[in-house]
Amino acid sequence: MIKENERAKAGEGLPWDEVLERLPFNADGLIPAIAQEHGTGEVLMMAWMNRESLEETVATGRVCYFSRSRGKLWRKGESSGQVQHLVELRLDCDGDTLLMQVRQDGPACHTGRRSCFYNALRGGRVVVTDEPLIPPEELYR
Amino acid sequence: MIKENERAKAGEGLPWDEVLERLPFNADGLIPAIAQEHGTGEVLMMAWMNRESLEETVATGRVCYFSRSRGKLWRKGESSGQVQHLVELRLDCDGDTLLMQVRQDGPACHTGRRSCFYNALRGGRVVVTDEPLIPPEELYR
């Protein structure tokens, strides 16, 4: 929680290490993290971080998530080469969601598309909005 | 899950009612939903939806969340007047996160700021980036 910042003026703030101690990780020790391309504003993906992955991301400037399916740290791009470079980390008013402005190398999505949000509800159908930048079989080989 | 869309071409898709039946709501019956201002790309907030709030949002074009703290539907703007109008609903590759492009009336944040993501990690501190558009005591009276 970052309650003190609610009534703070622009430029005022709290030490990161104090905020980190109080972040409301959920029962699984995770917090949702949104990645947005810095510059264009495109939302690329949403994934989860544990405290270790968040600390590594801040220390290295290279985004590291926690993979719920694999149960371990997931250094974005470690198998695909499509790295996310952290430009700025933001937290919401409750401190329970992270927004990362990043520079994404190539596609963020495992399908080879730039963004994971390529399914749009239009006219009663969920339609694909984009083609892959890279065929997925070329991403993971 | 929207596995079939992974290899679909742009413009192809699935009926919404079929996708809705298969959405992976979590153990609490919820799915995370990101609101992004259509046009500027600014990420405004992240909150949660249950199936009922999602169906209402799609039916009315007015964003309705599920409030975890209050345990009930939360029609965004019902007490503050700051309504979110849905422009386009998107789903990610796994179908487990929603991205809503919206037109936000006034501030999205309960602090009176335009976006909830006004806390930025800069130089070892979490600093406030924006002043409220409206004082919070004027939002809820």
Side-chain angles (χ1 to χ4, degrees), chain B residues 2 15 19 27 36 52 78 117 130 139:
Chain B
I2 330 178
V19 172
Q36 179 182 36
E52 187 183 357
E78 63 193 345
F117 293 98
D130 291 289
L139 269 180

Side-chain angles (χ1 to χ4, degrees), chain A residues 12-63:
Chain A
E12 295 178 354
L14 297 165
W16 168 236
D17 52 1
E18 274 181 32
V19 173
L20 184 61
E21 287 302 326
R22 289 188 286 160
L23 284 187
F25 292 98
N26 70 12
D28 296 321
L30 301 175
I31 194 166
I34 302 162
Q36 179 183 37
E37 180 66 29
H38 179 75
T40 68
E42 185 176 21
V43 176
L44 300 171
M45 58 183 285
M46 201 282 270
W48 296 80
M49 287 187 165
N50 64 2
R51 180 167 168 157
E52 187 182 358
S53 64
L54 174 56
E55 290 192 88
E56 178 173 314
T57 298
V58 169
T60 65
R62 223 183 114 156
V63 178

